[in-house]
Amino acid sequence: FIAADCGASAALTDRSYYWSIQVNVTRQNDSVSAESHHVSNLNWIISDDAGTEGLENYKNAHSDILFLQYTSGSTNAPKGVMVSHDNILVNCDYAVDHLPIGVSWLPQYHDLGLIGYYIFFAIKGGTTYGFSPTDFILRPALWMETITKYTATASSAPNFAFEYCLAPGKISEQTLAGLDLSSLRYFMTAAEPISTKTYEAFIHYFEPYGLPAKS
């Protein structure tokens, strides 16, 4: 739907995803929608196979638009907006007011993870230490330990993550004793409705381990 809606001319992907798409298109050839045909007919650029040869065939281009950002489509047809270079630069200055050291387990393809911890921090010349959402779910203490280890100044997550860390037994007393969250300049809760109860409980619980309430 998104590829057809924006008139995409190419898709950038890795080899495994490319072949899974081709297999699915072949299996469902008689029942696929017009949107699926549009995707299968795109110029597929496989990053695994990228090299220096043939780059002269790709023309340099300029656009005021940096990317198109779409809603997930989980409740309705995806809706897109045009995000410009200037949008990102201005928003970056509002969001990041220092040379940042970030810790993020947010997906790198998601708005908060990609823009907040990779694009913004690259613009500012900062550093991001990242790991996967699965690692966080399996061991939430890793989040706090990584902030402590690298004296992180910034980290963000949806409300559920802060709630998850407060669940009994999720972070051991031994781990808590070794935490130092005092380096945080901002600790953002976003991407989900914010619970005041969770927010206040988190501050109360982690203040003894250096968490600045003002962050």
Side-chain angles (χ1 to χ4, degrees):
F1 178 92
I2 292 172
D5 184 64
C6 70
S9 58
L12 177 65
T13 188
D14 65 8
R15 191 183 300 113
S16 62
Y17 192 77
Y18 170 75
W19 284 113
S20 70
I21 286 286
Q22 299 310 308
V23 169
N24 284 331
V25 167
T26 301
R27 284 176 178 169
Q28 303 170 10
N29 198 40
D30 295 332
S31 59
V32 291
S33 64
E35 287 89 351
S36 295
H37 278 301
H38 182 89
V39 170
S40 62
N41 291 329
L42 291 174
N43 174 24
W44 284 76
I45 302 169
I46 304 171
S47 57
D48 306 53
D49 301 334
T52 56
E53 294 181 9
L55 291 179
E56 64 276 3
N57 296 325
Y58 291 92
K59 296 179 181 178
N60 289 326
H62 173 76
S63 171
D64 291 334
I65 304 302
L66 179 59
F67 55 77
L68 304 179
Q69 184 170 7
Y70 277 80
T71 57
S72 66
S74 57
T75 58
N76 209 325
K79 295 177 177 63
V81 294
M82 295 179 287
V83 179
S84 71
H85 296 269
D86 285 344
N87 290 150
I88 289 293
L89 291 171
V90 170
N91 200 25
C92 178
D93 283 338
Y94 280 128
V96 187
D97 63 353
H98 64 286
L99 184 65
I101 301 171
V103 169
S104 176
W105 48 264
L106 302 166
Q108 294 177 15
Y109 52 80
H110 187 273
D111 174 280
L112 191 58
L114 174 64
I115 298 174
Y117 285 85
Y118 291 92
I119 294 179
F120 280 177
F121 283 26
I123 290 170
K124 290 289 186 177
T127 303
T128 294
Y129 295 94
F131 52 93
S132 78
T134 303
D135 289 333
F136 166 70
I137 293 298
L138 291 174
R139 190 167 174 273
L142 181 61
W143 187 20
M144 304 300 160
E145 289 172 338
T146 309
I147 291 171
T148 298
K149 180 177 180 178
Y150 296 107
T151 59
T153 62
S155 196
S156 303
N159 187 85
F160 89 85
F162 294 93
E163 204 166 59
Y164 191 59
C165 289
L166 293 171
K170 287 297 179 185
I171 300 181
S172 70
E173 292 293 333
Q174 183 180 357
T175 297
L176 287 169
L179 296 182
D180 180 4
L181 307 178
S182 61
S183 59
L184 286 167
R185 292 277 293 270
Y186 68 79
F187 206 15
M188 186 189 302
T189 173
E192 248 181 29
I194 298 166
S195 163
T196 305
K197 182 179 177 182
T198 302
Y199 165 79
E200 291 175 344
F202 193 90
I203 290 175
H204 177 75
Y205 191 80
F206 285 97
E207 260 190 319
Y209 309 104
L211 177 64
K214 65 181 181 181
S215 70

